[in-house]
Amino acid sequence: AEKHETEAETLQMTAEAGEELARMMGRVSSVEEITMVAHSAVNDTNLLSQLVTLSSSTEKRVGFMSAWALSKVVDTDPGVLAPFLAMMIDALPGVPNESVQRSFMRVLMKSEISDIPQSHHARLIEYCMAIMREQAAPVAPKAYGMEILATFCTLYPEMVNEVAGAVQLAINDAAGGMKAAGRKIILRLGKKQG
């Protein structure tokens, strides 16, 4: 009976810690605070896990701040997020707001392709292709999607033509920066073919 109480207590403590972190993330108001959270998370798997979970919060600010912290973690040490990449890919289609989508896409773009579980390659490729086709999609996720797809072409060279075509379509009506980024990717893909 003692072990069950310990497990129940542990679950209760974890839930309370998550609620406390959610309150804290809702109050974060500066880049410095986000950077501090990110630096702590690099060395704390529990904090990382909670940030991934809180990124899907229905409280927009909590989700945004948590995802932003993850985006900062990837700049410090992309490898620490490897165990959470599948969870992020699974969450992407239903993320509660654009800022979380942007942060998750940035994390995935900056992660090593070898850290993305093979079981999730097709799902992420399909998601990125859908973003490329979506006229109303924000610029940042499209740009990250182009990069992710180009990286996948190193593993799956048979995708090069399809990805180059999707990038070309996406940049046809795009603004200057997006056009330039897309042209660079098309050139990179052309070299992979030759």
Side-chain angles (χ1 to χ4, degrees):
E2 217 174 281
K3 187 174 182 182
H4 282 306
E5 285 175 26
T6 311
E7 284 178 27
E9 287 170 1
T10 303
L11 285 173
Q12 180 62 32
M13 284 171 33
T14 304
E16 287 171 6
E19 289 168 18
E20 181 60 33
L21 182 62
R23 282 193 294 276
M24 185 192 89
M25 294 309 289
R27 291 191 302 262
V28 167
S29 61
S30 71
V31 176
E32 291 79 14
E33 289 173 311
I34 282 294
T35 303
M36 281 181 3
V37 171
H39 282 298
S40 297
V42 167
N43 301 311
D44 185 342
T45 310
N46 288 335
L47 179 55
L48 271 179
S49 177
Q50 288 179 329
L51 288 172
V52 172
T53 301
L54 288 175
S55 293
S56 294
S57 172
T58 51
E59 281 185 57
K60 195 171 185 172
R61 184 168 178 77
V62 171
F64 164 62
M65 292 298 174
S66 300
W68 188 18
L70 293 172
S71 182
K72 293 275 187 190
V73 167
V74 81
D75 292 335
T76 306
D77 185 355
V80 299
L81 286 168
F84 305 100
L85 297 179
M87 201 183 316
M88 288 186 205
I89 293 165
D90 288 339
L92 264 174
V95 289
N97 62 62
E98 282 178 15
S99 57
V100 174
Q101 177 196 38
R102 182 176 57 245
S103 292
F104 277 15
M105 295 287 288
R106 184 172 184 277
V107 166
L108 291 161
M109 181 196 74
K110 290 186 147 269
S111 296
E112 291 294 324
I113 194 114
S114 58
D115 285 340
I116 297 172
Q118 193 164 2
S119 60
H120 283 68
H121 287 188
R123 189 172 302 156
L124 182 55
I125 290 166
E126 287 170 21
Y127 184 81
C128 291
M129 291 298 271
I131 284 178
M132 302 303 291
R133 288 189 293 269
E134 191 181 315
Q135 296 260 295
V139 171
K142 270 190 179 181
Y144 295 146
M146 287 191 306
E147 286 290 339
I148 292 166
L149 288 168
T151 303
F152 269 119
C153 285
T154 60
L155 285 181
Y156 306 108
E158 65 276 10
M159 288 178 24
V160 168
N161 287 336
E162 186 180 0
V163 170
V167 170
Q168 186 59 55
L169 279 174
I171 66 171
N172 278 344
D173 301 319
M178 183 73 169
K179 273 192 194 312
R183 281 195 293 268
K184 281 182 187 171
I185 287 175
I186 290 169
L187 280 172
R188 220 166 78 208
L189 292 173
K191 288 178 186 166
K192 286 186 196 317
Q193 277 185 310

